[in-house]
Amino acid sequence: MSDAALLERAAGCYLRSGLPTEAARCLREAGAYRRSAELCRELGEFLGAAEDYVCADMMDVAAWVLVHEAGDAPAARAVAVCAPPRVRTGLGSGEWTAAAVRVTQSRSAQRRSAAEQEARESSLRMRLALARCDVAEGRSDREPLAALAAAAVFLGSHSLVYDRLVEQWAVATAESMRRYDQVALLFAAAVRGRRSGAARRWTEWAARVLQSEITIPDLPSDDRRQAVRALRQG
């Protein structure tokens, strides 16, 4: 049996014994970074979780955890623009930005700009993470609203693969902006796109945040353009 397999078996033993921190350590040493990240996240160790997500090449999730759960927007931007090396560095919150700066200083301004643009355009999830950074830093709502519009189009499309994180992050971003109209548009798009459980999640959100009950009408399946128009007007 390989060392990695032994470490993963040890992690299971630690979990059954109620020692999740030790389990996360074993998973990390086994190279099971996604699983160790999820354990760290459950424990509220968000910086450690972000480092493990980076090691797992899940840069968008690392950025989201940093901005939304650790409250460190500059660190999230550093991950988005220039990912640190795929090793655990033990970096503190403020050191993420410094590490990214050290890396990017060796690149030309043109390459830095291209990397940032690619990060914004190639992944809707990363775009939402960056939009959440804008909200956290009190910047203009223009890009967050555009990102929410893109998320609504994604959620309302039947042809695209379901991505649960897009809905979660988009709703969380809109909620952080106190734009509950945008939340409604996102859930309506998810219902139109026949995302499993979307109607239930909408009613649960309304009960939790608005403390009210809502009735969700039957929605046509081909009115994506109307949803986009409504988003732009909002």
Side-chain angles (χ1 to χ4, degrees), residues 9-69:
R9 178 175 292 184
C13 292
Y14 278 125
L15 279 175
R16 289 190 292 272
S17 300
L19 298 170
T21 300
E22 291 301 313
R25 178 184 59 78
C26 288
L27 289 171
R28 186 175 302 118
E29 292 178 4
Y33 293 113
R34 179 171 184 169
R35 291 168 61 193
S36 61
E38 290 168 353
L39 269 179
C40 285
R41 205 170 174 181
E42 291 175 6
L43 294 168
E45 298 174 1
F46 300 126
L47 293 176
E51 288 191 54
D52 285 340
Y53 280 127
V54 166
C55 292
D57 282 331
M58 299 175 68
M59 313 305 294
D60 51 349
V61 183
W64 180 262
V65 169
L66 284 167
V67 64
H68 189 67
E69 298 176 13

Side-chain angles (χ1 to χ4, degrees), residues 34 41 53 58 60-61 64 124-125 128 151 154-155 162-172:
R34 179 171 184 169
R41 205 170 174 181
Y53 280 127
M58 299 175 68
D60 51 349
V61 183
W64 180 262
L124 178 55
R125 293 193 304 270
L128 288 167
F154 178 90
L155 293 170
Y162 175 64
D163 186 329
R164 64 183 177 84
L165 294 181
V166 168
E167 180 187 298
Q168 291 176 6
W169 295 5
V171 168

